[in-house]
Amino acid sequence: MTAAMYELMDYDEVLEKYDPVMGLEVHVELATETKMFSASSAHFGADPNTNVDPTSLGLPGALPVVNAKGVEWAIKIGLALNCSIAESSRFARKNYFYPDQPKNYQISQYDEPIAYDGYLDVVLDDGTPWRIEIERAHMEEDTGKLTHLGGADGRITGATASLVDCNRAGVPLIEIVTKPIEGAGERAPEVARAYVTALRELVKALGVSDARMDQGSMRVDSNLSLRPVGTTEFGTRTETKNINSLKSVEQAVRFEMQRQAYCLENGEEIVQETRHYQETDGSTSKGRPKETSADYRYFNDPDLPPVIAPREWVEEIRATLPELPWVRRARIQEEWKLSDAEMRDLVNAGALELIIATVEEGTTPDEARAWWVSYLSQKANQAGVELEGVGVSPTQVARVVALVNEGKLTNKLARQAIDGVLAGEGDVDEVIKARGLEVVRDDGAIEKAVDEALAANPDIVEKYRAGNHKVTGAIVGAVMKATRGKADPAQVNKLIAEKLA
Ligand code: ADP
Ligand code: MG
């Protein structure tokens, strides 16, 4: 790689002179069992070319059959995005050659998308609401995947061979396209990130996609153009393809603003082209000149009938929509009386759903929060895993909380019980049994330990009798030691007070 092939304008200067206009195209892979037009598995991660069939390989005579679940979920996404749902929509062929696409065309929707004219309300970092208008959400199929060998950075440039894997060919995709986003100014990069963040959360909450940007089940193309401040006509846009993290979405927009401004300022024309995003330095580089829709020779796919979405079906699907994630968050924050900061900590720790599930098992929100946000987050950190994958279920957490409340475990013993669960020793009750963690309730044994500790510490007894009631720590400590930590401190304190009264 040679030195940077771009020059940038200072961000503040960009904003004095230019007004950004953005458009975001987001591809979401649906988590259906099977492909959009055939019966092979749509799951990620199988050995190359094992999830294939005549249709997804484009073999002669193979015919596509529409996946009803795919259509249902497309409608679900459309409804959640406040779109109109077409009663009748069509599949079209988008014709082009690429080695990851055996048929030589992609089945997509063109002038008759299933969902159109919607919006998504998002919230920026400082709480400012922002409405993103949605142009359309349409159904299509994913392409296969190429792996380029021999090049420096996995790109085709410099590669000596390329491998084709058709597992992904035919996996259902929903492409969600915004209307041009105007007026964001300096916040354009942040608006882009906030939108993709909200959209990602939304499709996950709908249960239609795992929306893993790192695995490509959610991919973003970001269009950006600049126009002189005070003008209304759109400038020429570039389209940065396949951005695969939230941070990169923000950076790609910012970079294009600064790069395009430098070009325009220096009399260079912006060409309508695709660009690649470089994870390494947050830059974009030239891709191919942008083709127009005419180049694709779209026409209705003669193998597929129109998609009919009767109104009753649409209403049935609407009735299954869950509470929107951010609406739910606001409601829970209110119900649990959490400050913004407390709520943010809990969301950032990935603990919200786990706490909700723990509360559903009978704990109070505070009890559940104490476990997940402090002790278990720490354990997850140490293990280098997401909190969700730490290895303890909400049911197990609720169980130790109940045992603590019944006085059967101290907090310390409860942590040991959870440690045992984390270590794979079984569920809470099994660990307690195997490790012998129950609080000793045998008054005789505890009383004996208290008597012995008092006898061994006459100086403390003397101070206590002289009126200093804060000296019992050493006695409690000795009793704990004698009972191997299984006495209930409250009970021990009570006994000491009785004996020394
Ligand atoms: P394409 O076929 O090029 O992918 P789409 O219509 O699917 O085009 O998406 C283009 C995206 O770019 C849309 O989100 C649209 O709102 C946006 N857009 C269109 N023109 C401009 C422009 N001049 N500047 C910025 N964004 C634009
Ligand atoms: Mg597009």
Side-chain angles (χ1 to χ4, degrees), residues 25 136 175 177 239 290:
E25 298 168 69
R136 64 177 195 272
E175 178 174 344
V177 183
E239 179 178 349
K290 182 71 184 173

Side-chain angles (χ1 to χ4, degrees), residues 21-25 135-136 175 177-180 223-225 234-237 239 272 290:
V21 176
M22 264 187 320
L24 295 161
E25 298 168 69
E135 170 87 37
R136 64 177 195 272
E175 178 174 344
V177 183
T178 68
K179 295 187 177 161
N223 294 267
L224 188 105
S225 66
F234 291 172
T236 304
R237 67 182 157 117
E239 179 178 349
Q272 190 171 339
K290 182 71 184 173

Side-chain angles (χ1 to χ4, degrees), residues 37-84:
F37 302 107
S38 64
S40 39
S41 167
H43 291 204
F44 179 82
D47 285 342
N49 297 309
T50 55
N51 291 345
V52 292
D53 54 76
T55 301
S56 54
L57 289 175
L59 300 186
L63 287 171
V65 176
V66 176
N67 181 335
K69 202 49 146 186
V71 177
E72 180 187 324
W73 286 2
I75 294 173
K76 202 166 176 180
I77 292 175
L79 290 172
L81 292 172
N82 306 289
C83 288
S84 302

